[in-house]
Amino acid sequence: MIPYAIVGTSWIAEEFFLASLHSGMVLSGVCSRSRETGLAFARKIGADVPVYTSIEDLAAAPDVEAVYVASPNIFHAAQSEALLNSGKHVLCEKPITVNPDELERLQAIAREKGLVYMEAIMYLHTPARQAVKDALPELGEITGAHFDFSQLSSRYNELAAGGLPNVFNPAMRGGALNDLGIYCVYPAMDFFGPPLDIQAQAHMLSTGADGAGAALLRYPGFTLTLTWSKLGQSRGLSQVMGAQGTLAIRSISQFQGVSFHPRSAVSRELSSPRELALPLQKFEVMQYEAQAFCDYINKKPAPVSYGQAGALALSVARCMEGIRGAWRYLAGCLTASNRL
């Protein structure tokens, strides 16, 4: 069993703990800025483990081999660096860093020390991912695609009342692209690779963070539209359309409700759909992620090789940077136009 610690005490940390119960890991510590918060979290999940109040103390802990980092985005890079330099494997919540240069630097440290440094993306290690990749050739020539993750934030009322929760705080690197849009960018890079070019626009909040946005990623023969929002709740599907059918994805973040709709040979209508993945609870989806992390550490075969996962994370980080650059460029053009 791999002894690991959790940095952070949010709901996602609790979900990961539940997922880890079915993997080859055992919780050996919790890290929180407040000892009281850390103790309350440990009691809530029923874990009698040490509580650390600094990343330095956790990094020095001899009985912790790996760490799951679920702190605010702004701390991901610095905390991961401290842990990697201390010889600990790191599974870090998305976005793993806030820019690709940081990611490249930390990946180099991990390679030099022979450590696993991995971004926590739920769908990446599930059977549904491979089922989708296997089904894509059945679409024939791809003619268009749309990936959407629009989910009304649980902190929206706090924002509307004048508060500044971390998810809407640019100082914490909050915002809809980092929180939700990344789940659209991942399958885009995973299935189609880097685009020929990017156009993007964001709805910026008074806090300075993006509350929603959209991007057009151009590929040879088709355009992929990405939409994301923390200001409203989508009821639609993400889709990849082709000459021979349509691939529908109900949840782009977890790859739930994935189905293939072949086009009828005798009409323009779609034939009866074929379900590609069984429904799972969220902690079950995260089990695959936790198990893959263990397999990488133990150097066992895993659904995605560690090298591929690291290269994909860097491709995603570069695309995210491209999206930000595109919306900033457009905002600058609009500002200049308004001055004329």
Side-chain angles (χ1 to χ4, degrees):
M1 299 289 280
I2 297 170
Y4 84 100
I6 292 176
V7 177
T9 58
S10 64
W11 65 270
I12 195 69
E14 184 176 353
E15 289 283 346
F16 185 82
F17 168 73
L18 295 175
S20 73
L21 296 176
H22 303 274
S23 69
M25 294 193 291
V26 57
L27 187 66
S28 298
V30 171
C31 184
S32 175
R33 286 173 291 177
S34 161
R35 179 168 177 80
E36 291 72 23
T37 303
L39 287 170
F41 178 79
R43 285 194 297 268
K44 183 179 181 181
I45 62 177
D48 184 14
V49 296
V51 172
Y52 304 91
T53 55
S54 76
I55 204 70
E56 292 77 17
D57 288 344
L58 175 58
D63 55 347
V64 173
E65 184 178 346
V67 180
Y68 168 66
V69 176
S71 54
N73 299 342
I74 189 64
F75 302 120
H76 286 181
Q79 291 179 341
S80 295
E81 183 170 7
L83 295 166
L84 290 170
N85 280 326
S86 72
K88 302 190 189 314
H89 304 283
V90 175
L91 173 63
C92 184
E93 267 302 328
K94 51 76 193 168
I96 191 168
T97 63
V98 296
N99 67 63
D101 291 341
E102 283 184 337
L103 180 55
E104 281 191 288
R105 183 172 60 82
L106 295 181
Q107 285 180 333
I109 293 173
R111 283 193 300 271
E112 180 183 345
K113 293 181 173 292
L115 297 169
V116 175
Y117 174 49
M118 172 178 155
E119 189 163 26
I121 294 294
M122 290 180 290
Y123 93 90
L124 194 59
H125 308 281
T126 64
R129 173 185 180 266
Q130 189 59 50
V132 168
K133 290 181 81 75
D134 291 343
L136 282 173
E138 296 185 58
L139 295 175
E141 181 183 359
I142 295 176
T143 56
H146 176 211
F147 294 160
D148 173 75
F149 193 7
S150 298
Q151 180 174 280
L152 182 63
S153 173
S154 61
R155 312 303 294 274
Y156 178 78
N157 288 340
E158 181 182 348
L159 175 73
L164 187 57
N166 285 342
V167 294
F168 292 114
N169 186 349
M172 291 289 152
R173 298 300 188 267
L177 177 62
N178 279 340
D179 196 39
L180 302 183
I182 189 171
Y183 285 111
C184 300
V185 175
Y186 246 96
M189 297 300 99
D190 190 15
F191 298 151
F192 309 122
L196 298 174
D197 59 56
I198 299 172
Q199 298 178 48
Q201 189 165 359
H203 172 67
M204 305 304 293
L205 302 170
S206 60
T207 65
D210 63 302
L216 295 177
L217 277 55
R218 186 170 64 88
Y219 291 91
F222 73 97
T223 298
L224 170 57
T225 306
L226 310 181
T227 53
W228 60 90
S229 176
K230 293 182 71 65
L231 308 179
Q233 189 69 43
S234 173
R235 302 296 177 184
L237 290 168
S238 294
Q239 302 182 71
V240 181
M241 297 166 286
Q244 303 303 321
T246 299
L247 184 68
I249 305 171
R250 176 66 62 183
S251 169
I252 197 67
S253 63
Q254 300 178 42
F255 269 43
Q256 299 276 21
V258 180
S259 56
F260 178 75
H261 301 250
R263 188 164 298 282
S264 170
V266 295
S267 74
R268 291 182 297 175
E269 299 301 318
L270 296 178
S271 301
S272 298
R274 182 176 82 246
E275 299 300 319
L276 299 184
L278 295 174
L280 299 170
Q281 297 295 318
K282 188 165 190 174
F283 78 91
E284 293 177 306
V285 177
M286 294 182 75
Q287 283 175 17
Y288 288 101
E289 177 181 84
Q291 189 59 58
F293 186 47
C294 288
D295 289 343
Y296 294 151
I297 292 171
N298 292 326
K299 297 180 172 58
K300 295 179 180 178
V304 182
S305 78
Y306 174 56
Q308 288 177 331
L312 179 58
L314 185 56
S315 177
V316 168
R318 287 171 175 160
C319 184
M320 298 268 285
E321 191 78 352
I323 289 172
R324 292 188 193 95
W327 85 44
R328 289 168 184 155
Y329 174 77
L330 179 60
C333 290
L334 291 174
T335 299
S337 176
N338 289 336
R339 289 173 180 163
L340 297 177

